[in-house]
Amino acid sequence: MTDETRDHLEKVRSHLRDAAAAGDEAAAELAEHVDAYLGGEQGDQEHGALIDRLREGVLRFEVSHPTLSHAVQGVVDSMTASGI
């Protein structure tokens, strides 16, 4: 994982935690997946699964949390650009 991707993921995790604290269960669930990924708890085969979850998050948060949706899209773009 590149430093840029890690930075994006950490920013998204922060946004997700904020949304989760406001009661958004979908954000809390996605934050757990990002935590596991950043913590190295997922193997290489899980990269694709995380990207799929992030893409779902982009669509899910587009109306309710547009800033979060944009941040999540940035992570997806960074991960796919780096070949993850």
Side-chain angles (χ1 to χ4, degrees):
M1 169 181 351
T2 66
D3 290 339
E4 178 184 1
T5 300
R6 179 169 288 285
D7 289 344
H8 283 282
L9 279 169
E10 288 174 357
K11 288 177 188 174
V12 163
R13 178 174 54 182
S14 176
H15 286 293
L16 288 167
R17 287 180 178 168
D18 290 346
D24 191 320
E25 291 181 28
E29 181 181 330
L30 188 52
E32 289 177 15
H33 290 291
V34 172
D35 283 340
Y37 185 83
L38 286 171
E41 298 172 23
Q42 298 180 344
D44 289 341
Q45 69 276 12
E46 294 300 316
H47 298 301
L50 178 64
I51 290 173
D52 289 343
R53 287 184 181 109
L54 291 169
R55 285 184 176 137
E56 291 171 11
V58 168
L59 297 174
R60 181 180 300 137
F61 302 126
E62 193 169 39
V63 172
S64 61
H65 305 289
T67 302
L68 175 57
S69 179
H70 181 71
V72 172
Q73 183 62 53
V75 170
V76 170
D77 293 345
S78 178
M79 291 179 80
T80 55
S82 66
I84 296 177

